Amino acid sequence: KSVFNHILGVKPVSDAYGNKLVTPRSDATSGVYVSACGVGFHDQAFPSNTIDLGVSFTAMHWLSKAPNSLAGTPFLHAAQTSDDTAAEERDQAQQDWSSILRARAQELRPGGRMVIANFCKSKDGYFMGHTDVGASMWTSFQSSWDELAEEGLIDEEERQGISFPNYYRSTKECVDGVEQIEGLEV
């Protein structure tokens, strides 16, 4: 067992309550260092020219501020609209995307790479929670809010006031943002 743990690069440790845990051994990662940062991704989070590979999954759709222009509309999310109802969310998303990309461009070393896998809206109008397969999660959310109001657990102002402060960009919005930042390319 100890040979197996050594090969896997793990060693037994205990948490604050004495429960045994298995964690990666620092000598087994051979020059790979992992860290976490408490700074939000809308701002520069690491020193300039220090990142060789940046990876983000399903984060960059969150807005730094909640415009709340959807409050009182039948929409909980900007992706549900097809007109300018969510113009404030779109404008905030554009500002945020620019800030996010400028921050990442500063952090990346020359030749560094960045992978961003994010929720988007397709050219056909599909987005997470809204496709032609299955129920729309956004309709389900609205039904749940309506039910809470019917049961008296929230009032009408609370029911009308809900919206999600994120924005699913189109491919064009994603690419256009990258092309506006010197030193970045798709």
Side-chain angles (χ1 to χ4, degrees), residues 16-30:
Y17 303 102
N19 299 315
K20 292 190 178 196
L21 303 172
V22 178
T23 63
R25 284 171 47 139
S26 60
D27 62 342
T29 56
S30 184

Side-chain angles (χ1 to χ4, degrees), residues 122-140:
S122 78
K123 62 184 176 197
D124 298 321
Y126 295 128
F127 52 91
M128 185 188 83
H130 178 76
T131 66
D132 58 359
V133 178
S136 165
M137 75 179 199
W138 301 104
T139 302
S140 298

Side-chain angles (χ1 to χ4, degrees), residues 26 47 52 80 165:
S26 60
D52 291 305
Q80 293 177 288

Side-chain angles (χ1 to χ4, degrees), residues 58-96:
T58 66
M60 305 302 179
H61 61 292
W62 290 103
L63 302 178
S64 63
K65 299 177 195 155
N68 290 327
S69 64
L70 298 177
T73 72
F75 309 109
L76 297 177
H77 194 278
Q80 293 177 288
T81 68
S82 59
D83 55 14
D84 265 353
T85 303
E88 291 178 43
E89 280 77 3
R90 182 195 61 232
D91 293 347
Q92 184 63 52
Q94 184 178 6
Q95 291 172 28
D96 287 346

